[in-house]
Amino acid sequence: MKVAVFSTEKYDRQFLEAANTATNANHEFIFHETRLEAKTATLAAECSAICVFVNDDVGAETLKILADQGIGLVALRCTGFNNVDLETAAEVGIKVVRVTAYSPYSVAEFAVGMMMMLNRKLYRAYNRVREDNFSLNGLLGFDLHSRTVGIIGTGKIGIILAQILHGFGCHLLAYDPYPNPKFEEIGNARYVDLPELLASSDIISLHCPLTPENHHLINAETIAQMKPGVMLINTSRGQLIDTKAAIEGIKSGIIAYLGIDVYEQEKNLFFKDLSDTIIQDDTFLLLQSFPNVLITSHQAFFTKEAMDDIASTTISSITDFEQGNSLKNEVISCPVASVL
Ligand code: NAD
């Protein structure tokens, strides 16, 4: 099948081509570096499917252009599908598939890395030693042992994070509207409501999808309920946090550490080398200026194991579509609790 791949980086091409060869799928990929949006959708002309990533715009306008060109499948090479208008996709007859599961260790381990980096100020220590500054002033951290970590969302990633933090000797709290029995089987772990999690946690880590209900879940009101000095980690989706409210939380000292792998306006920044340009996003620049903020550009998933899983699942979904088989990773539009 001829597939237009958008937002392609060198590594996407490498993993997709390897999985295509390994499975003898023989799909023909047309790789585009550009993001998919309404004005780039015609690049998919003559293809039957497209393959996209987290910041491609698969909104109503784009989908209608794709449908007019005969595209029948949108294959997301990620788990989240907040960038797809599922209702319109159903209306215009385009199927949507995603990678429902890939190494959850990639993201959970990265979240722990962010916690350690912020707590022990490894980013500052690394730079200091390179400049022959061996002072420890300003590098004081705290033991993770016996600290309370609040996990929001205990699906595949949240559970692995809980298991890793159990090894550190942390007390674990979680909030999830659909509790996972595996969580309370971990020692020192219990479900609580959101206000209790916010008030009792030394570290809060977000592991839920972005939905219409939890857009700006972390806002001025919820930040005010947090323990002063809290560490907030977000490896899920940028729009879970009202960034301006987080900045106020940092200024007031409630948030003493912020680690974000995702950012509300990341589609204008992330995955690009902008080192020769002037960044126009003042909110981002302000965040960058704080010494207790760690920002990475949506890289938590980026391990060899996760990339192998993503590529092989994507290839097999495209093959199933081509052969008219049922699509196990199909994302269905749900009018009641649609996911953004
Ligand atoms: P999952 O579907 O296995 O688990 C999500 C959990 O969140 C579920 O248990 C669900 O009940 C819960 N949930 C839903 N709404 C909630 C809410 N309002 N409050 C609390 N919990 C809620 O998903 P997963 O594989 O664990 O991934 C979690 C999220 O991580 C994804 O949705 C995606 O946004 C993000 N992610 C980020 C990266 C990255 O590279 N940074 C990579 C993969 C996934």
Side-chain angles (χ1 to χ4, degrees), residues 79-80 100 102 107 152-158 175-178 207-211 214 217 235-237 261-262 298-301:
T79 41
T100 41
Y102 59 83
V107 182
I152 299 185
T154 48
K156 292 175 286 297
I157 295 169
Y175 167 70
D176 192 315
Y178 303 98
H207 298 285
C208 55
L210 174 67
T211 67
N214 67 17
L217 174 75
T235 56
S236 281
R237 283 293 179 266
D261 184 50
V262 287
H298 209 137
Q299 74 171 87
F301 72 98

Side-chain angles (χ1 to χ4, degrees), residues 59-134:
E61 196 187 344
T62 311
L63 282 161
K64 284 175 188 156
I65 298 168
L66 292 171
D68 286 345
Q69 294 174 148
I71 298 292
L73 180 75
V74 172
L76 292 151
R77 45 184 199 279
C78 53
T79 41
F81 48 92
N82 48 288
N83 52 339
V84 185
D85 182 334
L86 292 175
E87 240 168 82
T88 305
E91 268 165 38
V92 298
I94 293 183
K95 303 264 187 207
V96 179
V97 289
R98 65 181 178 127
V99 181
T100 41
Y102 59 83
S103 168
Y105 301 97
S106 61
V107 182
E109 290 174 9
F110 192 86
V112 177
M114 289 195 121
M115 290 172 197
M116 296 305 289
M117 183 84 146
L118 280 164
N119 169 20
R120 307 305 298 269
K121 304 176 177 64
L122 298 175
Y123 52 104
R124 299 182 90 179
Y126 174 79
N127 287 325
R128 274 190 196 186
V129 170
R130 286 173 70 87
E131 290 175 7
D132 297 339
N133 174 354
F134 304 109

Side-chain angles (χ1 to χ4, degrees), residues 5-33:
V5 184
F6 287 87
S7 300
T8 311
E9 295 291 342
K10 199 166 78 184
Y11 44 82
D12 296 307
R13 183 187 287 249
Q14 177 195 328
F15 280 92
L16 281 172
E17 281 177 344
N20 200 24
T21 307
T23 56
N24 290 321
N26 286 324
H27 297 304
E28 183 189 346
F29 291 117
I30 314 292
F31 292 105
H32 299 290
E33 283 176 25

Side-chain angles (χ1 to χ4, degrees), residues 164-226:
I164 297 172
L165 292 173
H166 177 63
F168 276 85
C170 297
H171 301 289
L172 301 171
L173 300 179
Y175 167 70
D176 192 315
Y178 303 98
N180 182 340
K182 281 192 202 156
F183 178 71
E184 290 194 319
E185 286 165 13
I186 301 171
N188 258 343
R190 66 190 172 91
Y191 278 107
V192 291
D193 59 18
L194 189 57
E196 184 176 347
L197 183 147
L198 296 172
S200 308
S201 302
D202 300 299
I203 300 175
I204 297 173
S205 198
L206 307 181
H207 298 285
C208 55
L210 174 67
T211 67
E213 295 74 33
N214 67 17
H215 180 262
H216 284 181
L217 174 75
I218 304 299
N219 54 42
E221 207 179 300
T222 46
I223 290 170
Q225 296 172 54
M226 293 178 189

